[in-house]
Amino acid sequence: MLSAQTPLADPSHSRKIGGPRAWLRVLLVCSSFAAPAFAAVPTAPSYCVASGIGFSAGGASIRLTWIDQSLDETHWLIYYSTDNWTSSVYVGAAPSDSTLTAGTTVSVGWTGALKNTTYLFRIYAYNGSEYSDASNDAAVTTSVFTLTASKVQCQAAITLAWPNVPNVSGYEVFAAAPGDVSYTSIGEVDASATTCNITAAWLVPTQTYYFVVQPYMGNFYLGQSNVASAVVDYPAVMTSKPGASNTPGTAFTHTFTHVSAATVSSHTLTGDVTGLTFNSSAGTLSGVFPALGNYTLNYAVHFSTGSTLTQTFYIRVRPPKGAPLVATAIPAWTAASGASRDTPLAGNFIDPEAESAVRVSTTLGTMDFILFDTATPETVKNFMSYVNAEAYTDVMFHRCIFGFMNQTGGFKGTGSGSDSDNPFTSVVTHVPVMNEPGIPNMRGTLSMAKSGNSPNSATSQFFVSVSNNNEDPYPLGLDYQNGGFTVFGRVADNGMIVADAINNLPRGNYTSPPANLTVDGSSAGELFANCPMNAESAPATMDQTKLMKINSVTSIPTMNYSITGNTNPTVASADIVNGQLRLVGLTGGQTTVTVTATDLDNLSTSQTVTADIKDSYSTWAARNTFPGGQNSATQNPDADGWNNLQEYAFLGDPALPNRTSLTIFAGTTGAAPALRSMTLTFPVRKSTTGLTYIVQANDGLTGAWSEIWRSTEGFSYGVVVRALDESDRTVVTIRDSEALGTRQKRFMRLKLVQE
C-alpha cells in the first residue's frame, strides 16, 4: 500500500520509468533534400506541445507533438530558444509522414536538452522550396528534483519526500527491489503531495528498495527525480497476549513483550485496577485479580526513536467453577390443609459461573454449552442472535483438526449426494462482532472463528477446543493470534465425550474442482479441508449423508431442581413444576422438604424448607369415612361415647369404637392429702385450626365452672404441669388452680370449642 498527503490515483498502472505515457518516440535526424519546382507554401502545423520524457546521462529527453495541417510537406524543421527567441537554435529536420494527410498527429523525441532549463519550440512545414509560417510556441521546463527515501523506525514502511514541482497534474511513484531489471509503477499521488508512505506487504525487513518519482501533466511526464533508496526496518510487534482471566483474589502477573530493533525509553499503562501494580521500568503488571467484572487497560511502549507501540489489555474476572450456591432461603410455609404454594427457585439458587446455556443436539449426541454473558457480552449476544433465528439447524461441522478443534456454524448441506444438484449454502451472517479476548482458549472452551489478520471479523462460525490451545509459543497460541481469539463459553460436564468423538472422525478434503461442489450456487466452490465424515472412512467424494451435523441449538436452564427429601409426606406433598417448588398441604402436622439444585456439570447443592400444615375439623372430616354418613361434629357414628368433634380433638377414629386405646386421658383419683391439687392429663392435637381446648373446674357439678386454662395460652402457662411433645400431639397435664384442702369433692372437665 502507498499512501500520501493526497491518495494515489489508479494504482493499477504499471509503467517503466523514462518510458512514454502514450507515444512512440521518433528521434530527430538531419537530412539533405532537393527543392521541388513550383511548390506551394505549406500550411503551418498547429497545437504544438512539448513535454519532458525522462533523463539520462546524455541529458533530458523532450517530446514534441503537433497536428499536420499541410498536404505537401516533405520535412519538418524544428527550432528552439532558451532566451525567449532573442536567439534560436536549429534542432534539425524530421521527415514527413508518408500519407501526406492533413489532421494527423506527428510525434518526435529529442535527447540532449539540459536539465532545469525552459525551452520554447517552433515547428515549420517545408516542401523543398517553401516554408510555412511557424507553429505556436511550445514551452517545457526540464525539471529534476531531489527525492529522499527513509525507513520508518519499528515499521515495515518507507517514507518518500520531494520538493513541490509547479504546474503538474500529479506524481507517479516507481519502485524496484534488489535484482529487478526495471522499475514498476506502484501508484500516483496528487499534485499537492510532497511525501508518501509506503507500507506495502511486499516490503521485507533488512531489504533495500529503490524509488523514482516522475511528475506529469495530463498524459505527459514533465521530469524525473533522482533514484533514492532505503532499507526496510524490522516492524515493532507486540508479542504478549492481549488479555488475562481468572477468579477474584488469585495471583496475577503479566509482562508486556514486543519485538523491535529500537531501544525502549519507557513503558506506560493507563487505567487503574485495584490490587494490581504496574512496574514502568520492566513493563510488568502484578498483584491479584480484582473483583468480578471486566477491566480495560491501555499499554504503550515508547522507543528512543520517538515511535510508540500500543496494546489494549483486557482483564476478565469470572466466578470459579463449582456447585450452585444458596442465594436466599426458601421461606417456611404455614397454611391450612388443602392449601398449596408455588415458589420459583431461580432466586433461591444461583450458579454464578453459568449465566445462560444452550443445548446442542448433534449427529453423535448432545453437548451443553455454558455461556459467559457478563465476561463477553457482545459475543454471547451475537451467538444467541443465530441461536434464536435457528440459523444453526442442520449446519455441518466443516473443519476438524485432530487434537486441536472442531469448527462449525458456517455451512449447511442441503442435499443427499455429491453432485451439483445438492449444493451447500452459507449461514446468513450478521454484522461482525467486536473481539473480546482475555479468557484462555483451553480444552472445552467455545471460541469465535474469524478471518486471518482481522480481529473483529467473527460472525456465525465458532469452534470447540479439544486441547489446551492457549499458551503455545508466540504466535501459535490462540490467546496471541489475530488479537486473541474470544472465548465466550465452555462445554459442560460430559459434553466433551461428544466433542472428542467428532474430533476422532475420519476427515476428507473436498473442493471444487476436482470435487463437484457448489456453495451458494457458485461452482467456484468452498474448500472443505479436514471435513469430518460420519463413516468408517472418509469417502473420496463428498457424500452429504455422512456429514457431521448440528440438529438444533436451544436455550436451556442452567440448573434443574429435584425433591430429595420429605420427612412427613402425609402432611404435605412436594413437587417441582416448571422450575417452581409446589407444596400442597395434606393434613395437620409439620414436614421438612429438601430441594436440590443440580447444575449442568452435575454438581449439586441442597436446602430445606419447613411446611407447617394446620388442620381443621372440616378438612379432617373430608378425609375420613363416617358410618352412615354421620359426619357432623355432634354425631357419634361409632357409638363409643365420643362425638366426631371429640374424635378429631383427641385423635380418634370416627369409624372405630377405640377412644380408650388411641388416647391418653387421665386425672387425679381417690383421696388426696390436704393442700394438694387435682390434675387433668389429655392429648392436644397438633397443627389444628378452629379448635380451642378449655380446662374448667367446679365443686359440685352445678353452678358456674371456673376456667383454669385454654390452649391459646400455650404450654408454658403457670398451671401447665407438663407438656410431652409427640409426633402428632402434645400430652399436657393441667393443675387445678385451687387446692383440694378439706373439700369433699372437686371436679375438672375439658371443654372443646369449635370456631
Side-chain angles (χ1 to χ4, degrees), residues 385-395 409 412 427-428 430 460:
S385 70
Y386 293 98
V387 172
N388 295 332
E390 299 182 356
Y392 292 132
T393 301
D394 204 38
V395 166
K412 296 185 179 185
V427 171
V428 177
H430 307 158
S460 64

Side-chain angles (χ1 to χ4, degrees), residues 171-182:
Y171 301 89
E172 188 164 9
V173 181
F174 298 82
D180 288 352
V181 296
S182 62

Side-chain angles (χ1 to χ4, degrees), residues 282-612:
T284 299
L285 186 64
S286 60
V288 297
F289 278 91
L292 296 174
N294 297 332
Y295 304 85
T296 302
L297 303 174
N298 294 296
Y299 167 78
V301 54
H302 308 278
F303 300 106
S304 57
T305 59
S307 60
T308 298
L309 189 63
T310 62
Q311 183 182 49
T312 301
F313 189 76
Y314 302 93
I315 299 176
R316 306 188 188 278
V317 188
R318 302 195 62 254
K321 179 180 177 181
L325 303 177
V326 173
T328 59
I330 302 172
W333 185 46
T334 299
S337 59
S340 65
R341 185 187 76 174
D342 287 345
T343 304
L345 296 172
N348 300 108
F349 295 92
I350 59 170
D351 187 354
E353 193 230 5
E355 299 167 90
S356 65
V358 296
R359 178 155 293 159
V360 181
S361 171
T362 76
T363 307
L364 288 183
T366 296
M367 294 182 286
D368 291 340
F369 292 169
I370 293 172
L371 306 180
F372 303 155
D373 300 60
T374 299
T376 54
E378 295 304 316
T379 307
V380 172
K381 180 180 177 182
N382 171 76
F383 176 74
M384 289 305 299
S385 70
Y386 293 98
V387 172
N388 295 332
E390 299 182 356
Y392 292 132
T393 301
D394 204 38
V395 166
M396 62 189 285
F397 283 83
H398 64 275
R399 180 170 176 253
C400 290
I401 298 178
F402 180 72
F404 178 42
M405 62 85 204
N406 305 330
Q407 185 170 338
T408 183
F411 307 95
K412 296 185 179 185
T414 58
S416 59
S418 60
D419 57 51
S420 59
D421 293 331
N422 296 289
F424 290 89
T425 58
S426 299
V427 171
V428 177
T429 58
H430 307 158
V431 175
V433 64
M434 291 294 293
N435 199 33
E436 295 177 306
I439 301 175
N441 286 262
M442 307 290 285
R443 171 176 164 81
T445 55
L446 309 176
S447 305
M448 295 304 299
K450 52 190 175 180
S451 302
N453 299 316
S454 184
N456 301 315
S457 61
T459 54
S460 64
Q461 295 190 37
F462 63 94
F463 60 89
V464 176
S465 287
V466 297
S467 296
N468 293 338
N469 298 321
N470 58 324
E471 293 290 354
D472 292 334
Y474 171 83
L476 300 178
L478 297 184
D479 290 1
Y480 300 86
Q481 283 187 42
N482 204 358
F485 279 79
T486 296
V487 170
F488 65 97
R490 67 173 179 84
V491 179
D493 195 28
N494 59 2
M496 287 305 293
I497 296 175
V498 176
D500 289 336
I502 295 172
N503 195 252
N504 282 291
L505 289 174
R507 297 171 300 279
N509 295 325
Y510 307 104
T511 185
S512 179
N516 193 14
L517 303 182
T518 59
V519 178
D520 299 330
S522 171
S523 59
E526 181 77 18
L527 174 62
F528 294 133
N530 295 295
C531 182
M533 303 299 283
N534 194 13
E536 290 187 6
S537 61
T541 58
M542 172 59 69
D543 184 349
Q544 292 190 26
T545 64
K546 293 179 173 55
L547 288 175
M548 179 64 216
K549 290 187 177 182
I550 293 176
N551 300 320
S552 64
V553 182
T554 54
S555 295
I556 58 171
T558 60
M559 292 177 286
N560 63 77
Y561 307 99
S562 60
I563 304 298
T564 54
N566 188 350
T567 59
N568 198 347
T570 61
V571 170
S573 65
D575 297 286
I576 302 298
V577 180
N578 297 326
Q580 300 185 98
L581 168 62
R582 175 167 294 175
L583 295 174
V584 178
L586 302 176
T587 186
Q590 287 189 340
T591 187
T592 300
V593 174
T594 301
V595 180
T596 299
T598 303
D599 66 13
L600 297 175
D601 292 316
N602 207 29
L603 302 175
S604 299
T605 296
S606 301
Q607 62 170 303
T608 60
V609 55
T610 299
D612 186 2

